[in-house]
Amino acid sequence: MAAATLTTLDRALLGIIDRGRASGYDIHRLFSATPMAVFSSSPGSIYPALARLERRGLLRARLDSATEARPRRVYSITRQGVAALEAWLREPVTREELVRDARLPVLRFSLAERRLTRAQAISYLEGYRRALADYGKELESYLEQLEGGEELHPALALRSGIDGFRCQARWVDHAIADLERAEAEER
Amino acid sequence: MAAATLTTLDRALLGIIDRGRASGYDIHRLFSATPMAVFSSSPGSIYPALARLERRGLLRARLDSATEARPRRVYSITRQGVAALEAWLREPVTREELVRDARLPVLRFSLAERRLTRAQAISYLEGYRRALADYGKELESYLEQLEGGEELHPALALRSGIDGFRCQARWVDHAIADLERAEAEER
DNA sequence: TCTATCATGTAAAGGGTTACATGATTCT
DNA sequence: AGAATCATGTAACCCTTTACATGATAGA
């Protein structure tokens, strides 16, 4: 029952289906038509992942044989699925997450709207900004070592990563401002 | 013989060993001590990958039993390995590569110094900048669709990706300037 | 002495990719 | 009539992750 381990694809599927029930094909289309493609790609990973999540009780399938020739399995999220998703969305961004895959924090944010209040989303982003700043500093001190060497490419590549983090930090500022504006308008 | 398919880790290992012979442990330390950690991590992936590359004739191992109790397997790159590495380094950056993993183009660049002339590196970066601009435009037109909706997070997340690409494009400009300066000094 | 680190791996489990299979419906 | 697309999957292969194993040497 306890969600042993979930892959990024698993969590992405939970987040997508949390926004509205969907079939494997719906998700496949979503991945091929939108920048969500970074999550994954092929039916060969999506269908088994959906079946896994159903076995673990995080998704529930309903057969839609009325409209289609071949029965569509339409998935919706269960209470356990929501719990697993929320646990993931509430985890603070860590240095380890940035190292493992720097896109994950934003991917998580993109799926969090239904499950986090504006205030919670803002503090999530503040945590992200802190993680960016900390890891960025670490990379800068490593860059100083590299710049002594005679190779140009590795230092430039590292500089690219550092610039990217700085850029993300600026994005965080704008995103927080947008969320605050939205919250003010909602009152 | 023909390198059926190489994983990113395989190519990273080729690139690293191309810069100088190294043992599995050397590489493990490199990955845990530097931002190269994005490549991989655990001995459980590194050692099998090295053994694979040796079997395929892209690396060659020499036993260093003189100095150590346990024999160190020190790898160096073969002519075939150099060929495979160069083929990879010379591939132009495509939209597909950006979708699959946006860090790859810079990772490739970081390993290219020995195998590309300054001029070749510059034209590689120009190709990267074009790919960034093209894919960035695509994302922007998708963003316009999203901004009509009532959800805030997905549009913000996409904006984050677009900002990141813009930032990378600026990095490319600086990197090219640095390479040109280096080339001028080398003459 | 015992802990950490050097240095090498192996074993089990499980996920992802690629390619294939199936059959109905809609478009040209 | 034929091609593309809807819509579901399965199978084989291989890689990665996690955890464990081994044994020597250096430092507390």
Side-chain angles (χ1 to χ4, degrees), chain A residues 19 34-35 38 99 109 113 139 142 151-153 156 160 167-168 171, chain B residues 19 34-35 38 99 109-110 113 139 142 151-153 156 160 167-168 171:
Chain A
R19 296 170 60 199
T34 73
V38 292
V99 172
F109 175 79
E113 189 149 11
L139 292 183
Y142 187 68
E151 282 185 308
L152 204 51
H153 286 221
L156 282 171
S160 148
C167 186
Q168 279 299 291
W171 170 82
Chain B
R19 297 170 59 201
T34 74
V38 292
V99 173
F109 174 78
S110 75
E113 189 148 10
L139 292 183
Y142 187 68
E151 281 185 308
L152 204 51
H153 286 221
L156 281 172
S160 149
C167 185
Q168 279 298 290
W171 170 81

PDB file of all heavy atoms in Angstrom, chain A residues 19 34-35 38 99 109 113 139 142 151-153 156 160 167-168 171, chain B residues 19 34-35 38 99 109-110 113 139 142 151-153 156 160 167-168 171:
ATOM      1  N   ARG A  19      -5.472  16.930 -12.040  1.00  0.00           N
ATOM      2  CA  ARG A  19      -6.103  18.107 -12.671  1.00  0.00           C
ATOM      3  C   ARG A  19      -7.344  17.714 -13.448  1.00  0.00           C
ATOM      4  O   ARG A  19      -8.083  18.574 -13.929  1.00  0.00           O
ATOM      5  CB  ARG A  19      -5.104  18.800 -13.591  1.00  0.00           C
ATOM      6  CG  ARG A  19      -3.912  19.353 -12.813  1.00  0.00           C
ATOM      7  CD  ARG A  19      -2.820  19.820 -13.746  1.00  0.00           C
ATOM      8  NE  ARG A  19      -3.280  20.867 -14.643  1.00  0.00           N
ATOM      9  CZ  ARG A  19      -2.668  21.201 -15.776  1.00  0.00           C
ATOM     10  NH1 ARG A  19      -1.590  20.545 -16.145  1.00  0.00           N
ATOM     11  NH2 ARG A  19      -3.145  22.158 -16.526  1.00  0.00           N
ATOM     12  N   THR A  34       2.861  18.967 -25.967  1.00  0.00           N
ATOM     13  CA  THR A  34       3.206  20.093 -25.108  1.00  0.00           C
ATOM     14  C   THR A  34       4.616  19.930 -24.550  1.00  0.00           C
ATOM     15  O   THR A  34       5.210  18.865 -24.654  1.00  0.00           O
ATOM     16  CB  THR A  34       2.227  20.187 -23.918  1.00  0.00           C
ATOM     17  OG1 THR A  34       2.518  19.128 -23.002  1.00  0.00           O
ATOM     18  CG2 THR A  34       0.786  20.085 -24.372  1.00  0.00           C
ATOM     19  N   PRO A  35       5.124  20.990 -23.950  1.00  0.00           N
ATOM     20  CA  PRO A  35       6.466  20.914 -23.375  1.00  0.00           C
ATOM     21  C   PRO A  35       6.553  19.943 -22.203  1.00  0.00           C
ATOM     22  O   PRO A  35       7.638  19.722 -21.671  1.00  0.00           O
ATOM     23  CB  PRO A  35       6.715  22.341 -22.890  1.00  0.00           C
ATOM     24  CG  PRO A  35       5.742  23.187 -23.623  1.00  0.00           C
ATOM     25  CD  PRO A  35       4.558  22.346 -23.866  1.00  0.00           C
ATOM     26  N   VAL A  38       9.138  16.599 -21.585  1.00  0.00           N
ATOM     27  CA  VAL A  38      10.313  16.290 -20.774  1.00  0.00           C
ATOM     28  C   VAL A  38      10.047  15.150 -19.796  1.00  0.00           C
ATOM     29  O   VAL A  38      10.966  14.436 -19.415  1.00  0.00           O
ATOM     30  CB  VAL A  38      10.813  17.520 -19.979  1.00  0.00           C
ATOM     31  CG1 VAL A  38      11.379  18.551 -20.917  1.00  0.00           C
ATOM     32  CG2 VAL A  38       9.708  18.125 -19.137  1.00  0.00           C
ATOM     33  N   VAL A  99      20.779  18.870  -8.055  1.00  0.00           N
ATOM     34  CA  VAL A  99      21.852  18.113  -8.694  1.00  0.00           C
ATOM     35  C   VAL A  99      21.266  17.009  -9.569  1.00  0.00           C
ATOM     36  O   VAL A  99      21.690  16.803 -10.704  1.00  0.00           O
ATOM     37  CB  VAL A  99      22.793  17.493  -7.636  1.00  0.00           C
ATOM     38  CG1 VAL A  99      23.787  16.555  -8.296  1.00  0.00           C
ATOM     39  CG2 VAL A  99      23.506  18.583  -6.862  1.00  0.00           C
ATOM     40  N   PHE A 109       6.189  22.536  -9.176  1.00  0.00           N
ATOM     41  CA  PHE A 109       5.387  23.755  -9.050  1.00  0.00           C
ATOM     42  C   PHE A 109       4.246  23.784 -10.055  1.00  0.00           C
ATOM     43  O   PHE A 109       3.127  24.172  -9.738  1.00  0.00           O
ATOM     44  CB  PHE A 109       6.293  24.976  -9.246  1.00  0.00           C
ATOM     45  CG  PHE A 109       5.553  26.274  -9.258  1.00  0.00           C
ATOM     46  CD1 PHE A 109       5.132  26.864  -8.072  1.00  0.00           C
ATOM     47  CD2 PHE A 109       5.261  26.905 -10.463  1.00  0.00           C
ATOM     48  CE1 PHE A 109       4.435  28.060  -8.087  1.00  0.00           C
ATOM     49  CE2 PHE A 109       4.563  28.106 -10.483  1.00  0.00           C
ATOM     50  CZ  PHE A 109       4.145  28.683  -9.290  1.00  0.00           C
ATOM     51  N   GLU A 113      -0.926  23.703  -8.312  1.00  0.00           N
ATOM     52  CA  GLU A 113      -1.927  24.755  -8.136  1.00  0.00           C
ATOM     53  C   GLU A 113      -3.155  24.299  -7.347  1.00  0.00           C
ATOM     54  O   GLU A 113      -3.672  25.021  -6.514  1.00  0.00           O
ATOM     55  CB  GLU A 113      -2.344  25.311  -9.498  1.00  0.00           C
ATOM     56  CG  GLU A 113      -3.205  26.552  -9.393  1.00  0.00           C
ATOM     57  CD  GLU A 113      -2.980  27.483 -10.580  1.00  0.00           C
ATOM     58  OE1 GLU A 113      -2.324  27.054 -11.544  1.00  0.00           O
ATOM     59  OE2 GLU A 113      -3.448  28.634 -10.521  1.00  0.00           O
ATOM     60  N   LEU A 139      28.769  26.353  -6.630  1.00  0.00           N
ATOM     61  CA  LEU A 139      29.313  26.246  -7.985  1.00  0.00           C
ATOM     62  C   LEU A 139      30.300  27.367  -8.271  1.00  0.00           C
ATOM     63  O   LEU A 139      31.315  27.158  -8.944  1.00  0.00           O
ATOM     64  CB  LEU A 139      28.170  26.282  -9.006  1.00  0.00           C
ATOM     65  CG  LEU A 139      27.229  25.081  -9.017  1.00  0.00           C
ATOM     66  CD1 LEU A 139      26.202  25.226 -10.132  1.00  0.00           C
ATOM     67  CD2 LEU A 139      28.001  23.777  -9.185  1.00  0.00           C
ATOM     68  N   TYR A 142      33.610  26.567  -6.914  1.00  0.00           N
ATOM     69  CA  TYR A 142      34.263  25.564  -7.751  1.00  0.00           C
ATOM     70  C   TYR A 142      34.776  26.187  -9.048  1.00  0.00           C
ATOM     71  O   TYR A 142      35.838  25.819  -9.554  1.00  0.00           O
ATOM     72  CB  TYR A 142      33.305  24.409  -8.047  1.00  0.00           C
ATOM     73  CG  TYR A 142      33.974  23.271  -8.751  1.00  0.00           C
ATOM     74  CD1 TYR A 142      34.925  22.497  -8.114  1.00  0.00           C
ATOM     75  CD2 TYR A 142      33.684  22.995 -10.089  1.00  0.00           C
ATOM     76  CE1 TYR A 142      35.576  21.471  -8.765  1.00  0.00           C
ATOM     77  CE2 TYR A 142      34.324  21.958 -10.757  1.00  0.00           C
ATOM     78  CZ  TYR A 142      35.277  21.204 -10.078  1.00  0.00           C
ATOM     79  OH  TYR A 142      35.915  20.196 -10.733  1.00  0.00           O
ATOM     80  N   GLU A 151      42.173  24.921 -19.242  1.00  0.00           N
ATOM     81  CA  GLU A 151      41.043  24.589 -20.109  1.00  0.00           C
ATOM     82  C   GLU A 151      39.983  25.678 -20.030  1.00  0.00           C
ATOM     83  O   GLU A 151      39.678  26.206 -18.960  1.00  0.00           O
ATOM     84  CB  GLU A 151      40.434  23.245 -19.700  1.00  0.00           C
ATOM     85  CG  GLU A 151      41.245  22.063 -20.192  1.00  0.00           C
ATOM     86  CD  GLU A 151      40.531  20.767 -19.873  1.00  0.00           C
ATOM     87  OE1 GLU A 151      40.166  20.571 -18.710  1.00  0.00           O
ATOM     88  OE2 GLU A 151      40.327  19.969 -20.790  1.00  0.00           O
ATOM     89  N   LEU A 152      39.386  25.954 -21.178  1.00  0.00           N
ATOM     90  CA  LEU A 152      38.389  27.014 -21.246  1.00  0.00           C
ATOM     91  C   LEU A 152      36.977  26.432 -21.147  1.00  0.00           C
ATOM     92  O   LEU A 152      36.113  26.964 -20.447  1.00  0.00           O
ATOM     93  CB  LEU A 152      38.564  27.748 -22.578  1.00  0.00           C
ATOM     94  CG  LEU A 152      38.079  29.182 -22.698  1.00  0.00           C
ATOM     95  CD1 LEU A 152      38.627  30.034 -21.570  1.00  0.00           C
ATOM     96  CD2 LEU A 152      38.484  29.747 -24.048  1.00  0.00           C
ATOM     97  N   HIS A 153      36.746  25.321 -21.836  1.00  0.00           N
ATOM     98  CA  HIS A 153      35.394  24.777 -21.943  1.00  0.00           C
ATOM     99  C   HIS A 153      34.756  24.413 -20.605  1.00  0.00           C
ATOM    100  O   HIS A 153      33.608  24.781 -20.361  1.00  0.00           O
ATOM    101  CB  HIS A 153      35.376  23.576 -22.887  1.00  0.00           C
ATOM    102  CG  HIS A 153      35.490  23.944 -24.326  1.00  0.00           C
ATOM    103  ND1 HIS A 153      34.755  23.342 -25.309  1.00  0.00           N
ATOM    104  CD2 HIS A 153      36.264  24.864 -24.950  1.00  0.00           C
ATOM    105  CE1 HIS A 153      35.066  23.851 -26.474  1.00  0.00           C
ATOM    106  NE2 HIS A 153      35.993  24.774 -26.294  1.00  0.00           N
ATOM    107  N   LEU A 156      33.609  27.494 -18.836  1.00  0.00           N
ATOM    108  CA  LEU A 156      32.469  28.105 -19.513  1.00  0.00           C
ATOM    109  C   LEU A 156      31.196  27.306 -19.250  1.00  0.00           C
ATOM    110  O   LEU A 156      30.127  27.888 -19.018  1.00  0.00           O
ATOM    111  CB  LEU A 156      32.729  28.191 -21.020  1.00  0.00           C
ATOM    112  CG  LEU A 156      33.646  29.323 -21.458  1.00  0.00           C
ATOM    113  CD1 LEU A 156      34.011  29.176 -22.938  1.00  0.00           C
ATOM    114  CD2 LEU A 156      32.995  30.675 -21.209  1.00  0.00           C
ATOM    115  N   SER A 160      27.753  28.507 -17.424  1.00  0.00           N
ATOM    116  CA  SER A 160      26.412  28.360 -17.979  1.00  0.00           C
ATOM    117  C   SER A 160      25.422  27.896 -16.921  1.00  0.00           C
ATOM    118  O   SER A 160      24.300  28.405 -16.822  1.00  0.00           O
ATOM    119  CB  SER A 160      26.464  27.373 -19.150  1.00  0.00           C
ATOM    120  OG  SER A 160      25.273  26.651 -19.268  1.00  0.00           O
ATOM    121  N   CYS A 167      19.299  33.066 -13.324  1.00  0.00           N
ATOM    122  CA  CYS A 167      18.124  33.377 -14.131  1.00  0.00           C
ATOM    123  C   CYS A 167      16.869  32.805 -13.476  1.00  0.00           C
ATOM    124  O   CYS A 167      15.824  33.459 -13.406  1.00  0.00           O
ATOM    125  CB  CYS A 167      18.356  32.768 -15.504  1.00  0.00           C
ATOM    126  SG  CYS A 167      17.125  33.166 -16.683  1.00  0.00           S
ATOM    127  N   GLN A 168      16.975  31.593 -12.973  1.00  0.00           N
ATOM    128  CA  GLN A 168      15.845  30.969 -12.281  1.00  0.00           C
ATOM    129  C   GLN A 168      15.462  31.767 -11.046  1.00  0.00           C
ATOM    130  O   GLN A 168      14.278  31.916 -10.735  1.00  0.00           O
ATOM    131  CB  GLN A 168      16.206  29.531 -11.854  1.00  0.00           C
ATOM    132  CG  GLN A 168      16.077  28.533 -12.968  1.00  0.00           C
ATOM    133  CD  GLN A 168      14.666  28.444 -13.487  1.00  0.00           C
ATOM    134  OE1 GLN A 168      13.774  27.957 -12.808  1.00  0.00           O
ATOM    135  NE2 GLN A 168      14.435  28.949 -14.680  1.00  0.00           N
ATOM    136  N   TRP A 171      13.389  34.520 -12.102  1.00  0.00           N
ATOM    137  CA  TRP A 171      12.059  34.015 -12.430  1.00  0.00           C
ATOM    138  C   TRP A 171      11.234  33.829 -11.159  1.00  0.00           C
ATOM    139  O   TRP A 171      10.057  34.185 -11.122  1.00  0.00           O
ATOM    140  CB  TRP A 171      12.150  32.687 -13.200  1.00  0.00           C
ATOM    141  CG  TRP A 171      10.820  32.024 -13.329  1.00  0.00           C
ATOM    142  CD1 TRP A 171       9.857  32.302 -14.247  1.00  0.00           C
ATOM    143  CD2 TRP A 171      10.281  30.986 -12.477  1.00  0.00           C
ATOM    144  NE1 TRP A 171       8.748  31.507 -14.035  1.00  0.00           N
ATOM    145  CE2 TRP A 171       8.986  30.697 -12.961  1.00  0.00           C
ATOM    146  CE3 TRP A 171      10.769  30.289 -11.371  1.00  0.00           C
ATOM    147  CZ2 TRP A 171       8.178  29.731 -12.358  1.00  0.00           C
ATOM    148  CZ3 TRP A 171       9.966  29.324 -10.767  1.00  0.00           C
ATOM    149  CH2 TRP A 171       8.688  29.061 -11.272  1.00  0.00           C
TER     150      TRP A 171
ATOM    151  N   ARG B  19      40.292  13.165 -21.756  1.00  0.00           N
ATOM    152  CA  ARG B  19      41.097  14.251 -21.186  1.00  0.00           C
ATOM    153  C   ARG B  19      42.266  13.708 -20.391  1.00  0.00           C
ATOM    154  O   ARG B  19      43.138  14.472 -19.959  1.00  0.00           O
ATOM    155  CB  ARG B  19      40.225  15.141 -20.309  1.00  0.00           C
ATOM    156  CG  ARG B  19      39.126  15.834 -21.114  1.00  0.00           C
ATOM    157  CD  ARG B  19      38.123  16.524 -20.215  1.00  0.00           C
ATOM    158  NE  ARG B  19      38.742  17.519 -19.366  1.00  0.00           N
ATOM    159  CZ  ARG B  19      38.200  17.971 -18.246  1.00  0.00           C
ATOM    160  NH1 ARG B  19      37.036  17.502 -17.840  1.00  0.00           N
ATOM    161  NH2 ARG B  19      38.817  18.889 -17.532  1.00  0.00           N
ATOM    162  N   THR B  34      32.433  17.082  -8.003  1.00  0.00           N
ATOM    163  CA  THR B  34      32.264  18.216  -8.912  1.00  0.00           C
ATOM    164  C   THR B  34      30.838  18.246  -9.473  1.00  0.00           C
ATOM    165  O   THR B  34      30.093  17.291  -9.318  1.00  0.00           O
ATOM    166  CB  THR B  34      33.240  18.108 -10.097  1.00  0.00           C
ATOM    167  OG1 THR B  34      32.784  17.079 -10.977  1.00  0.00           O
ATOM    168  CG2 THR B  34      34.652  17.789  -9.638  1.00  0.00           C
ATOM    169  N   PRO B  35      30.508  19.348 -10.119  1.00  0.00           N
ATOM    170  CA  PRO B  35      29.166  19.454 -10.708  1.00  0.00           C
ATOM    171  C   PRO B  35      28.929  18.450 -11.838  1.00  0.00           C
ATOM    172  O   PRO B  35      27.821  18.375 -12.364  1.00  0.00           O
ATOM    173  CB  PRO B  35      29.137  20.876 -11.258  1.00  0.00           C
ATOM    174  CG  PRO B  35      30.209  21.598 -10.530  1.00  0.00           C
ATOM    175  CD  PRO B  35      31.263  20.600 -10.254  1.00  0.00           C
ATOM    176  N   VAL B  38      25.854  15.537 -12.291  1.00  0.00           N
ATOM    177  CA  VAL B  38      24.632  15.381 -13.081  1.00  0.00           C
ATOM    178  C   VAL B  38      24.717  14.171 -14.008  1.00  0.00           C
ATOM    179  O   VAL B  38      23.704  13.586 -14.364  1.00  0.00           O
ATOM    180  CB  VAL B  38      24.326  16.635 -13.919  1.00  0.00           C
ATOM    181  CG1 VAL B  38      23.943  17.786 -13.022  1.00  0.00           C
ATOM    182  CG2 VAL B  38      25.502  17.010 -14.794  1.00  0.00           C
ATOM    183  N   VAL B  99      14.643  18.918 -25.933  1.00  0.00           N
ATOM    184  CA  VAL B  99      13.471  18.366 -25.260  1.00  0.00           C
ATOM    185  C   VAL B  99      13.885  17.233 -24.337  1.00  0.00           C
ATOM    186  O   VAL B  99      13.446  17.136 -23.195  1.00  0.00           O
ATOM    187  CB  VAL B  99      12.441  17.856 -26.285  1.00  0.00           C
ATOM    188  CG1 VAL B  99      11.306  17.117 -25.592  1.00  0.00           C
ATOM    189  CG2 VAL B  99      11.902  19.008 -27.119  1.00  0.00           C
ATOM    190  N   PHE B 109      29.628  20.360 -24.932  1.00  0.00           N
ATOM    191  CA  PHE B 109      30.602  21.434 -25.115  1.00  0.00           C
ATOM    192  C   PHE B 109      31.742  21.334 -24.108  1.00  0.00           C
ATOM    193  O   PHE B 109      32.915  21.530 -24.451  1.00  0.00           O
ATOM    194  CB  PHE B 109      29.899  22.787 -24.977  1.00  0.00           C
ATOM    195  CG  PHE B 109      30.828  23.961 -25.017  1.00  0.00           C
ATOM    196  CD1 PHE B 109      31.342  24.416 -26.218  1.00  0.00           C
ATOM    197  CD2 PHE B 109      31.208  24.598 -23.849  1.00  0.00           C
ATOM    198  CE1 PHE B 109      32.214  25.495 -26.259  1.00  0.00           C
ATOM    199  CE2 PHE B 109      32.091  25.674 -23.870  1.00  0.00           C
ATOM    200  CZ  PHE B 109      32.585  26.121 -25.082  1.00  0.00           C
ATOM    201  N   SER B 110      31.389  20.986 -22.891  1.00  0.00           N
ATOM    202  CA  SER B 110      32.419  20.948 -21.843  1.00  0.00           C
ATOM    203  C   SER B 110      33.472  19.876 -22.104  1.00  0.00           C
ATOM    204  O   SER B 110      34.579  19.950 -21.578  1.00  0.00           O
ATOM    205  CB  SER B 110      31.764  20.731 -20.477  1.00  0.00           C
ATOM    206  OG  SER B 110      31.361  19.384 -20.331  1.00  0.00           O
ATOM    207  N   GLU B 113      36.835  20.378 -25.826  1.00  0.00           N
ATOM    208  CA  GLU B 113      37.989  21.258 -26.046  1.00  0.00           C
ATOM    209  C   GLU B 113      39.129  20.582 -26.803  1.00  0.00           C
ATOM    210  O   GLU B 113      39.745  21.185 -27.674  1.00  0.00           O
ATOM    211  CB  GLU B 113      38.497  21.798 -24.700  1.00  0.00           C
ATOM    212  CG  GLU B 113      39.533  22.881 -24.854  1.00  0.00           C
ATOM    213  CD  GLU B 113      39.452  23.895 -23.719  1.00  0.00           C
ATOM    214  OE1 GLU B 113      38.735  23.648 -22.735  1.00  0.00           O
ATOM    215  OE2 GLU B 113      40.124  24.945 -23.837  1.00  0.00           O
ATOM    216  N   LEU B 139       7.893  27.465 -27.740  1.00  0.00           N
ATOM    217  CA  LEU B 139       7.351  27.503 -26.377  1.00  0.00           C
ATOM    218  C   LEU B 139       6.549  28.775 -26.146  1.00  0.00           C
ATOM    219  O   LEU B 139       5.520  28.762 -25.468  1.00  0.00           O
ATOM    220  CB  LEU B 139       8.482  27.411 -25.352  1.00  0.00           C
ATOM    221  CG  LEU B 139       9.228  26.079 -25.273  1.00  0.00           C
ATOM    222  CD1 LEU B 139      10.262  26.107 -24.166  1.00  0.00           C
ATOM    223  CD2 LEU B 139       8.270  24.913 -25.070  1.00  0.00           C
ATOM    224  N   TYR B 142       3.162  28.437 -27.469  1.00  0.00           N
ATOM    225  CA  TYR B 142       2.360  27.577 -26.595  1.00  0.00           C
ATOM    226  C   TYR B 142       1.948  28.331 -25.329  1.00  0.00           C
ATOM    227  O   TYR B 142       0.846  28.167 -24.815  1.00  0.00           O
ATOM    228  CB  TYR B 142       3.135  26.313 -26.239  1.00  0.00           C
ATOM    229  CG  TYR B 142       2.301  25.324 -25.483  1.00  0.00           C
ATOM    230  CD1 TYR B 142       1.233  24.676 -26.096  1.00  0.00           C
ATOM    231  CD2 TYR B 142       2.532  25.071 -24.145  1.00  0.00           C
ATOM    232  CE1 TYR B 142       0.438  23.790 -25.403  1.00  0.00           C
ATOM    233  CE2 TYR B 142       1.735  24.180 -23.436  1.00  0.00           C
ATOM    234  CZ  TYR B 142       0.694  23.550 -24.080  1.00  0.00           C
ATOM    235  OH  TYR B 142      -0.106  22.684 -23.383  1.00  0.00           O
ATOM    236  N   GLU B 151      -5.510  28.720 -15.110  1.00  0.00           N
ATOM    237  CA  GLU B 151      -4.445  28.254 -14.227  1.00  0.00           C
ATOM    238  C   GLU B 151      -3.225  29.149 -14.361  1.00  0.00           C
ATOM    239  O   GLU B 151      -2.849  29.567 -15.449  1.00  0.00           O
ATOM    240  CB  GLU B 151      -4.066  26.806 -14.571  1.00  0.00           C
ATOM    241  CG  GLU B 151      -5.041  25.783 -14.010  1.00  0.00           C
ATOM    242  CD  GLU B 151      -4.532  24.374 -14.298  1.00  0.00           C
ATOM    243  OE1 GLU B 151      -4.234  24.079 -15.468  1.00  0.00           O
ATOM    244  OE2 GLU B 151      -4.410  23.592 -13.351  1.00  0.00           O
ATOM    245  N   LEU B 152      -2.604  29.394 -13.232  1.00  0.00           N
ATOM    246  CA  LEU B 152      -1.450  30.284 -13.197  1.00  0.00           C
ATOM    247  C   LEU B 152      -0.135  29.496 -13.257  1.00  0.00           C
ATOM    248  O   LEU B 152       0.798  29.851 -13.980  1.00  0.00           O
ATOM    249  CB  LEU B 152      -1.513  31.099 -11.908  1.00  0.00           C
ATOM    250  CG  LEU B 152      -0.799  32.442 -11.853  1.00  0.00           C
ATOM    251  CD1 LEU B 152      -1.173  33.308 -13.028  1.00  0.00           C
ATOM    252  CD2 LEU B 152      -1.120  33.138 -10.541  1.00  0.00           C
ATOM    253  N   HIS B 153      -0.081  28.404 -12.527  1.00  0.00           N
ATOM    254  CA  HIS B 153       1.177  27.668 -12.388  1.00  0.00           C
ATOM    255  C   HIS B 153       1.745  27.135 -13.707  1.00  0.00           C
ATOM    256  O   HIS B 153       2.937  27.302 -13.958  1.00  0.00           O
ATOM    257  CB  HIS B 153       1.013  26.515 -11.391  1.00  0.00           C
ATOM    258  CG  HIS B 153       0.950  26.947  -9.969  1.00  0.00           C
ATOM    259  ND1 HIS B 153       1.574  26.274  -8.943  1.00  0.00           N
ATOM    260  CD2 HIS B 153       0.327  28.004  -9.394  1.00  0.00           C
ATOM    261  CE1 HIS B 153       1.340  26.889  -7.797  1.00  0.00           C
ATOM    262  NE2 HIS B 153       0.576  27.927  -8.045  1.00  0.00           N
ATOM    263  N   LEU B 156       3.339  29.912 -15.626  1.00  0.00           N
ATOM    264  CA  LEU B 156       4.561  30.374 -14.964  1.00  0.00           C
ATOM    265  C   LEU B 156       5.700  29.379 -15.185  1.00  0.00           C
ATOM    266  O   LEU B 156       6.842  29.769 -15.434  1.00  0.00           O
ATOM    267  CB  LEU B 156       4.315  30.562 -13.460  1.00  0.00           C
ATOM    268  CG  LEU B 156       3.584  31.844 -13.064  1.00  0.00           C
ATOM    269  CD1 LEU B 156       3.216  31.820 -11.588  1.00  0.00           C
ATOM    270  CD2 LEU B 156       4.431  33.065 -13.388  1.00  0.00           C
ATOM    271  N   SER B 160       9.273  29.949 -17.053  1.00  0.00           N
ATOM    272  CA  SER B 160      10.582  29.607 -16.476  1.00  0.00           C
ATOM    273  C   SER B 160      11.492  28.939 -17.511  1.00  0.00           C
ATOM    274  O   SER B 160      12.674  29.266 -17.632  1.00  0.00           O
ATOM    275  CB  SER B 160      10.368  28.686 -15.267  1.00  0.00           C
ATOM    276  OG  SER B 160      11.444  27.795 -15.107  1.00  0.00           O
ATOM    277  N   CYS B 167      18.324  32.966 -21.336  1.00  0.00           N
ATOM    278  CA  CYS B 167      19.532  33.122 -20.535  1.00  0.00           C
ATOM    279  C   CYS B 167      20.684  32.330 -21.163  1.00  0.00           C
ATOM    280  O   CYS B 167      21.819  32.813 -21.255  1.00  0.00           O
ATOM    281  CB  CYS B 167      19.212  32.624 -19.143  1.00  0.00           C
ATOM    282  SG  CYS B 167      20.512  32.843 -17.976  1.00  0.00           S
ATOM    283  N   GLN B 168      20.386  31.125 -21.607  1.00  0.00           N
ATOM    284  CA  GLN B 168      21.401  30.300 -22.265  1.00  0.00           C
ATOM    285  C   GLN B 168      21.899  30.975 -23.537  1.00  0.00           C
ATOM    286  O   GLN B 168      23.085  30.915 -23.853  1.00  0.00           O
ATOM    287  CB  GLN B 168      20.824  28.925 -22.622  1.00  0.00           C
ATOM    288  CG  GLN B 168      20.799  27.963 -21.462  1.00  0.00           C
ATOM    289  CD  GLN B 168      22.195  27.675 -20.942  1.00  0.00           C
ATOM    290  OE1 GLN B 168      22.995  27.032 -21.584  1.00  0.00           O
ATOM    291  NE2 GLN B 168      22.488  28.201 -19.756  1.00  0.00           N
ATOM    292  N   TRP B 171      24.357  33.419 -22.589  1.00  0.00           N
ATOM    293  CA  TRP B 171      25.606  32.729 -22.231  1.00  0.00           C
ATOM    294  C   TRP B 171      26.396  32.368 -23.485  1.00  0.00           C
ATOM    295  O   TRP B 171      27.617  32.523 -23.525  1.00  0.00           O
ATOM    296  CB  TRP B 171      25.312  31.471 -21.405  1.00  0.00           C
ATOM    297  CG  TRP B 171      26.525  30.613 -21.230  1.00  0.00           C
ATOM    298  CD1 TRP B 171      27.516  30.789 -20.319  1.00  0.00           C
ATOM    299  CD2 TRP B 171      26.893  29.473 -22.029  1.00  0.00           C
ATOM    300  NE1 TRP B 171      28.485  29.826 -20.490  1.00  0.00           N
ATOM    301  CE2 TRP B 171      28.124  29.003 -21.533  1.00  0.00           C
ATOM    302  CE3 TRP B 171      26.305  28.799 -23.110  1.00  0.00           C
ATOM    303  CZ2 TRP B 171      28.775  27.895 -22.082  1.00  0.00           C
ATOM    304  CZ3 TRP B 171      26.945  27.703 -23.643  1.00  0.00           C
ATOM    305  CH2 TRP B 171      28.168  27.262 -23.137  1.00  0.00           C
TER     306      TRP B 171
END
